[in-house]
Amino acid sequence: MNLNNLNTIACPLDCFDTCEAILDGENIKANKEHPITKSKLCVNFANLLKEDFLENAFINKQKINLDESLDFLIKKLEETEPKKVLYYKGAGNLGVMQSSPKSFFAKYGATLTKGSLCDGAGDEGISLGRGFNINPPIENLIDSDIIIVWGRNLTVTSPHMYNLIKDKTFITIDPVKTKIAKKSEIHFQINPKTDHELALLFTRFAYMEDLEDEEFIQNNSSGAEDFFELAKERPIVSYEATTGISLSDVSKMFELIKGKSVSILLGIGPQKYYEGANIFRAIDSFAAFIGLHNKDKGGVWYLSDSNFGYEKKFQSQTLNKVDLPEVDFSKYDLVFIQGANPVVSAPNTKRVIEGLKNSFVIFFGTTFNDTCEYADVIIPSSNFKTKKDVRLSYGHEFKAISNNIENKNTNTISEYELTKYLFEQFDFEDLISEDEAVNYYKNLNPKRDFHIENFNFLEDLEVDNLYEDKDENQFYLLFGKRKENLNSQFESDNYLYLNSKCGFDEGDEVKASTSFGEANFIVKLDDDIKENCIVLYAGNKKANYLTNYKSDELSSSAVYQEALVRLELL
Ligand SMILES: Nc1nc2c(c(=O)[nH]1)N[C@H]1C(S)=C(S)[C@@H](COP(=O)(O)OP(=O)(O)OC[C@H]3O[C@@H](n4cnc5c(=O)[nH]c(N)nc54)[C@H](O)[C@@H]3O)O[C@H]1N2
Ligand SMILES: Nc1nc2c(c(=O)[nH]1)N[C@H]1C(S)=C(S)[C@@H](COP(=O)(O)OP(=O)(O)OC[C@H]3O[C@@H](n4cnc5c(=O)[nH]c(N)nc54)[C@H](O)[C@@H]3O)O[C@H]1N2
Ligand code: SF4
Ligand SMILES: [Mo]
């Protein structure tokens, strides 16, 4: 990779692949030199290039100059008690420079958020076991024989990583027959929220097949015996009914993996629950039990800590934090939203909208999204082609570099410029210069030692099983990503998907309700979905009317799938 090519541009979107594009004459194309990108970029990147970016600031939906909107922001910040200001940042652009405004708001004394709407519970589970959350080098994945795709829609959400491994033998664990499930030797069409049970069942089989890695267990771990006790608590056959998985398929998997190097690619599916952290810890403990960690081939991949090994160049220490999913916007006198669309993405839409209506909202973003409807002031952020940035990856170890390949619209402002302006207005000191920050992230290649000194096996597990609460007329609620949009960005799909055996017809209008809310949808049929589930895609404008805003057990993160749905034909 040539880090000093001034024509490269990072895809800023929230995605495992972290692609790099390059300006070639008039065209922006995939950078073939980038070790992951190689081939062409995806539909979402094409959509981003055609995006209708904000070109003006607004107050009460009236166009104003950028300067007027900034004056207004300063006035508001001066007259509001800092604690009553909420700084709310989303994942619209994952460049490192997006963190700069947070350093201003922390210094100013605003309330910040903690936790995540995304991968937080899984990250916690992995970190509890290993002490950190980083992925092994991509070569370990490429060199492995068998890849288990566990709750990840691999071909859709990491298309370039998939391209590097597409000829491998796959095993998929997913309630939906995804494209990768169709390509797999075995598809475990699991009941939602039973992955911890499957991990325990696998552990039993591994023991019977003599596949435990005694060396790793003895030298690099603690608690393996207790973990194995957990796995032995229930008769093996009892797992068939709860997980929906046949023991013969499990046997088949062990025949397949015996003597082979194995990788597990984890996605966010199995962790969107109250006990998501421990569910993940159970999976990672199974992986440790059979010795997938610390090897030259294989390992376990998830959304890793992309900042691992880097120092924070934008400090944002504060004790003033609220849980991200639980934010009650109405509690603040001023809400500053950056790069997020909580009206669609955050849990419990009804509560989100009521909250936004009862607060003064300043939106800082690149597009006019659903949340802008409730914004009193809109400050247009400069688009990704016009600002310097570095995109670190949570999917693999390579970064992508963004140069400003176009001149910015002077009526827009970048995150760094806004931060600098705010620091100046408030006489704050110690903001690192833009070039110093960019160059730091660009040039540093931190040592990423993925070896685990001491793995802490999961020793206790208590999960409230959704299958015990569910009656036969209820459905599990699944969320998934689509090829054609990136969370709430670009064109969304607002249908409710279910299996044709569920008694509804294509085009039916239904009211879906959970204990947290209700919304109406039009039905689409899809027999790839397990019969006891419904699927709503990320970006669906009604989906989050059905979700609970409470945080998970351990990591202040959202629990989107902790709900059972009833459908009523309208
Ligand atoms: N094209 C595209 N790419 C994206 C995104 C996008 O919106 N569009 N979003 C990006 C973001 S923000 C993220 S976080 C990543 C997420 O990337 P993924 O983790 O691949 O995201 P999902 O599509 O939610 O895939 C989760 C899979 O888990 C399955 N699943 C759901 N519940 C369970 C369960 O209880 N157990 C098991 N075993 N499986 C379950 C679902 O059916 C689904 O196939 O993708 C990123 N990439
Ligand atoms: N129902 C449902 N809800 C979900 C999910 C789901 O699968 N289903 N997925 C969850 C997950 S995994 C995630 S990560 C979250 C994502 O949720 P959010 O963080 O809210 O992300 P987006 O929905 O993509 O909205 C991003 C907004 O950022 C703005 N933006 C884009 N680029 C820039 C930029 O350069 N600067 C600034 N300032 N703004 C920019 C755009 O205006 C865009 O509308 O949603 C979560 N919510
Ligand atoms: S695959 Fe992901 S990182 Fe690559 S261009 Fe598409 S959205 Fe961007
Ligand atoms: Mo995400």
Side-chain angles (χ1 to χ4, degrees):
M1 269 174 79
N2 176 3
L3 294 177
N4 296 318
N5 184 336
L6 294 180
N7 286 325
T8 64
I9 180 159
C11 171
L13 297 171
D14 184 349
C15 170
F16 288 96
D17 286 356
T18 314
C19 290
E20 194 174 81
I22 192 155
L23 179 68
D24 181 5
E26 296 272 283
N27 299 322
I28 298 177
K29 299 180 173 164
N31 183 4
K32 297 209 167 65
E33 316 267 294
H34 189 273
I36 306 292
T37 307
K38 290 186 175 163
S39 56
K40 67 179 202 285
L41 300 173
C42 73
V43 183
N44 287 309
F45 189 79
N47 285 335
L48 190 61
L49 291 177
K50 300 189 292 230
E51 185 67 286
D52 192 9
F53 293 119
L54 281 169
E55 292 185 342
N56 285 288
F58 294 84
I59 289 188
N60 297 328
K61 306 226 161 76
Q62 301 296 313
K63 271 186 197 167
I64 49 162
N65 283 330
L66 176 67
D67 290 346
E68 291 172 78
S69 70
L70 297 179
D71 289 346
F72 201 88
L73 169 64
I74 300 295
K75 188 171 138 262
K76 269 291 191 190
L77 288 169
E78 278 169 353
E79 70 189 28
T80 311
E81 185 195 335
K83 263 194 179 169
K84 294 288 234 174
V85 175
L86 174 73
Y87 172 74
Y88 184 102
K89 179 180 164 300
N93 175 327
L94 287 195
V96 295
M97 301 305 274
Q98 288 288 317
S99 301
S100 52
K102 198 199 267 184
S103 66
F104 164 78
F105 283 95
K107 242 184 167 65
Y108 162 85
T111 302
L112 271 48
T113 63
K114 60 173 188 261
S116 116
L117 299 183
C118 174
D119 61 326
D123 173 77
E124 178 74 12
I126 285 181
S127 303
L128 286 170
R130 304 184 201 168
F132 55 79
N133 171 19
I134 53 170
N135 291 328
I138 200 80
E139 288 305 320
N140 273 44
L141 178 67
I142 294 172
D143 292 342
S144 60
D145 304 314
I146 310 261
I147 298 179
I148 303 178
V149 182
W150 200 323
R152 174 153 160 182
N153 193 356
L154 182 64
T155 62
V156 168
T157 61
S158 356
H160 297 84
M161 284 178 71
Y162 169 65
N163 261 341
L164 303 174
I165 50 174
K166 59 177 186 289
D167 300 323
K168 300 277 165 190
T169 301
F170 291 100
I171 295 169
T172 294
I173 305 169
D174 200 305
V176 178
K177 201 171 232 344
T178 54
K179 187 171 161 200
I180 195 67
K182 288 178 187 166
K183 263 199 77 172
S184 293
E185 287 291 311
I186 307 169
H187 173 208
F188 294 105
Q189 198 161 19
I190 191 171
N191 284 326
K193 205 185 177 185
T194 61
D195 298 271
H196 51 296
E197 295 196 11
L198 186 64
L200 295 177
L201 176 62
F202 282 172
T203 304
R204 286 287 282 283
F205 267 76
Y207 180 77
M208 293 186 301
E209 301 278 341
D210 228 4
L211 281 182
E212 77 267 32
D213 185 337
E214 278 164 25
E215 199 189 312
F216 177 84
I217 291 173
Q218 280 209 338
N219 300 331
N220 295 85
S221 80
S222 54
E225 273 178 29
D226 288 329
F227 177 63
F228 189 59
E229 285 302 314
L230 270 182
K232 279 201 314 201
E233 261 173 18
R234 270 172 52 181
I236 284 190
V237 286
S238 72
Y239 289 110
E240 276 196 322
T242 54
T243 60
I245 279 164
S246 75
L247 297 180
S248 61
D249 276 349
V250 179
S251 292
K252 206 170 133 196
M253 176 177 102
F254 278 90
E255 271 164 42
L256 214 56
I257 67 171
K258 212 167 196 169
K260 300 281 172 57
S261 54
V262 177
S263 294
I264 298 180
L265 288 182
L266 280 163
I268 62 172
Q271 54 98 61
K272 299 174 188 173
Y273 305 104
Y274 182 71
E275 303 87 348
N278 277 332
I279 293 174
F280 255 50
R281 204 168 163 195
I283 298 172
D284 210 29
S285 291
F286 157 68
F289 194 79
I290 60 168
L292 298 195
H293 301 307
N294 292 3
K295 295 291 184 316
D296 297 336
K297 292 178 180 181
V300 180
W301 280 256
Y302 179 53
L303 286 84
S304 75
D305 173 4
S306 57
N307 282 297
F308 187 88
Y310 293 90
E311 278 168 27
K312 270 195 165 177
K313 289 295 159 190
F314 299 107
Q315 292 299 332
S316 58
Q317 275 109 339
T318 173
L319 294 176
N320 260 341
K321 286 193 178 182
V322 288
D323 279 18
L324 184 58
E326 300 198 352
V327 160
D328 177 353
F329 291 110
S330 71
K331 283 204 172 132
Y332 302 91
D333 295 337
L334 176 60
V335 170
F336 185 92
I337 298 177
Q338 174 194 327
N341 190 8
V343 165
V344 175
S345 323
N348 211 295
T349 307
K350 189 160 177 252
R351 179 173 178 268
V352 169
I353 291 176
E354 274 162 18
L356 291 172
K357 280 184 180 162
N358 286 304
S359 174
F360 192 93
V361 178
I362 298 187
F363 174 82
F364 177 42
T366 47
T367 58
F368 192 93
N369 66 21
D370 310 78
T371 302
C372 292
E373 293 292 342
Y374 305 91
D376 300 277
V377 177
I378 296 175
I379 302 176
S381 159
S382 311
N383 79 59
F384 77 110
K385 286 179 286 183
T386 66
K387 48 196 181 195
K388 293 184 206 168
D389 213 333
V390 177
R391 171 81 167 81
L392 306 174
S393 173
Y394 56 72
H396 51 74
E397 66 269 32
F398 301 98
K399 47 191 153 193
I401 311 295
S402 249
N403 294 285
N404 41 346
I405 57 162
E406 274 177 18
N407 290 331
K408 70 165 197 160
N409 171 336
T410 50
N411 216 12
T412 66
I413 186 165
S414 74
E415 285 67 22
Y416 182 82
E417 289 166 337
L418 178 68
T419 311
K420 192 160 175 250
Y421 173 79
L422 290 167
F423 264 68
E424 281 164 11
Q425 295 295 315
F426 282 78
D427 287 326
F428 290 170
E429 284 171 2
D430 303 330
L431 177 67
I432 184 173
S433 81
E434 184 176 25
D435 281 343
E436 205 182 332
V438 169
N439 288 334
Y440 170 78
Y441 287 104
K442 184 165 132 180
N443 296 323
L444 189 78
N445 271 315
K447 196 166 148 26
R448 293 162 57 101
D449 187 357
F450 70 103
H451 283 89
I452 300 164
E453 287 294 318
N454 182 36
F455 185 89
N456 288 301
F457 276 91
L458 176 73
E459 296 177 47
D460 289 302
L461 181 61
E462 255 180 63
V463 175
D464 270 334
N465 295 309
L466 274 177
Y467 60 72
E468 284 178 65
D469 299 334
K470 180 180 166 307
D471 68 44
E472 57 183 27
N473 296 318
Q474 286 174 312
F475 296 87
Y476 296 106
L477 173 60
L478 301 183
F479 287 128
K481 312 292 188 193
R482 288 166 72 232
K483 205 169 155 189
E484 298 80 5
N485 65 327
L486 206 296
N487 297 329
S488 78
Q489 301 193 65
F490 320 121
E491 204 121 303
S492 63
D493 174 325
N494 297 312
Y495 295 102
L496 179 150
Y497 289 82
L498 44 60
N499 192 294
S500 63
K501 297 208 185 79
C502 299
F504 293 90
D505 291 324
E506 181 107 357
D508 278 351
E509 191 179 3
V510 292
K511 179 165 100 181
S513 47
T514 66
S515 31
F516 314 110
E518 58 182 50
N520 297 348
F521 298 89
I522 306 291
V523 165
K524 278 214 179 183
L525 299 178
D526 180 354
D527 287 348
D528 291 334
I529 298 168
K530 194 158 179 159
E531 282 168 48
N532 53 10
C533 301
I534 65 161
V535 172
L536 301 173
Y537 287 107
N540 184 319
K541 295 192 192 293
K542 302 279 190 63
N544 280 317
Y545 278 94
L546 305 178
T547 51
N548 189 356
Y549 62 84
K550 288 286 180 201
S551 297
D552 77 313
E553 185 180 23
L554 296 174
S555 73
S556 305
S557 298
V559 293
Y560 289 103
Q561 292 184 179
E562 194 65 62
L564 295 166
V565 183
R566 235 174 256 289
L567 295 181
E568 189 190 316
L569 191 62
L570 292 176

